[in-house]
Amino acid sequence: MASPLKPVLAALLLLTIAVPDCQAKSKPSLSGKQAIHHAIGRQAHDFDLPKSHKPKFQSAPWKQAHATFYEGGSGTFGGACNYKDVAGQGYGMNTAALSSVLFKNGQACGACFEIKCADNPQWCKPGQPSLIVTATDHCPPNPSLPNDNGGWCNVPREHFDVAKPVFSQLAEYKAGIIPIHYRRVPCKKQGGIRFTILGNPWFYQVIVWNVKGAGDIVSVQVKGDDKLKWTQMERDWGATWKTSAILLGESLTFRVRASDKRYSTSWHVTPRNWQFGQTYEGKNFN
């Protein structure tokens, strides 16, 4: 009679041959801290936004509007967008206050426009030169005046109230108000997006400026390198965004999305010991 141990021994022999072969073909396993680091890295990657393949911001078609001028200095032209010094921040004097229809409650801050005097040979400068201006302020409506006689920025008018030095390059001062053609154009900036951090340990404000491409921002998120996860900021006013999340003690990363739906992520643009009132440079749009 055959021994009952023979089938068991045969099976064990087959396992002995197969196991080393499987181990040789399989990837080496991670253990301890390596395995934890690998898992965390994979999880963080899963939360990254997909790469943006949207085309770069392009110039828009020409439209009709009107323009007037106002006086002031580099420290006042930032107005409702809360730019502190338009000359120091690279905008120069080529700035404009937009009527409510164009200003869009501050969303237009930072947008760039090409404007030129039109259809007024008496006042337009010869050759009708065009200029690029940046939206840095709001031209408020004046309901007490008619839209065609002093209420230039009333809804639904599309109107540009430009700095006086800009107006003089388009037309004669005496004109007071001129018809213009305008269009959105890509903003050209030097260096990266700037983030100026203001506030206090319980309330934080970030002014986002020097934005290339579309120029205007519709969303800002912030993330720390420790406890602070991705947090959506709210528009405070103009180009200033706010949050009550605790940012102190963290190296901050900002993700901004422009009106053309492209986004730019500036990783760890601040050190952990960043200070209020300081400006930090991040990654700009290509």
Side-chain angles (χ1 to χ4, degrees), residues 26-277:
S26 64
K27 293 181 180 180
S29 62
L30 296 173
S31 61
K33 292 183 178 179
Q34 286 183 314
I36 294 172
H37 176 77
H38 181 72
I40 292 175
R42 182 172 64 250
Q43 186 181 28
H45 179 74
D46 291 342
F47 283 100
D48 286 345
L49 292 176
K51 289 186 177 180
S52 175
H53 298 290
K54 296 184 181 298
K56 293 182 179 181
F57 187 83
Q58 301 294 322
S59 298
W62 289 97
K63 296 182 179 181
Q64 295 181 341
H66 286 81
T68 50
F69 67 86
Y70 68 105
E71 303 195 40
S74 63
T76 61
F77 289 160
C81 289
N82 202 25
Y83 298 129
K84 301 303 182 184
D85 182 347
V86 293
Q89 293 176 318
Y91 297 107
M93 293 299 179
N94 284 19
T95 61
L98 307 185
S99 61
S100 298
V101 172
L102 296 173
F103 191 66
K104 299 178 181 178
N105 292 320
Q107 181 182 313
C109 289
C112 296
F113 298 85
E114 183 178 9
I115 61 175
K116 59 183 179 180
C117 185
D119 307 322
N120 197 330
Q122 179 182 1
W123 301 117
C124 292
K125 289 295 179 74
Q128 297 183 347
S130 66
L131 292 173
I132 307 298
V133 297
T134 303
T136 62
D137 204 354
H138 177 219
C139 180
N142 188 347
S144 64
L145 295 176
N147 290 9
D148 60 352
N149 187 16
W152 311 124
C153 293
N154 291 349
V155 177
R157 291 181 64 96
E158 297 184 357
H159 190 88
F160 291 75
D161 199 22
V162 300
K164 189 174 181 179
V166 176
F167 191 92
S168 65
Q169 298 178 59
L170 299 172
E172 300 294 334
Y173 288 136
K174 294 179 182 180
I177 180 171
I178 57 172
I180 63 168
H181 290 160
Y182 81 93
R183 64 175 178 171
R184 281 284 301 274
V185 293
C187 297
K188 299 179 180 180
K189 304 296 178 185
Q190 297 294 323
I193 297 175
R194 306 301 206 278
F195 303 91
T196 301
I197 306 177
L198 305 173
N200 56 60
W202 302 276
F203 180 75
Y204 300 82
Q205 294 175 308
V206 179
I207 305 175
V208 183
W209 53 282
N210 199 57
V211 180
K212 290 174 61 177
D216 54 342
I217 298 300
V218 299
S219 172
V220 177
Q221 293 175 295
V222 62
K223 178 184 179 297
D225 65 337
D226 187 14
K227 297 179 181 179
L228 182 67
K229 308 305 179 185
W230 279 116
T231 300
Q232 181 67 49
M233 302 187 74
E234 299 177 20
R235 190 187 300 275
D236 192 8
W237 56 293
T240 303
W241 297 76
K242 65 181 179 180
T243 183
S244 57
I246 303 302
L247 308 186
L248 276 179
E250 304 244 14
S251 174
L252 301 177
T253 293
F254 292 98
R255 176 174 287 154
V256 301
R257 188 181 296 273
S259 62
D260 61 354
K261 299 183 180 180
R262 299 177 74 221
Y263 66 86
S264 176
T265 304
S266 300
W267 292 97
H268 308 299
V269 295
T270 75
R272 288 184 174 180
N273 61 342
W274 60 265
Q275 301 293 317
F276 289 107

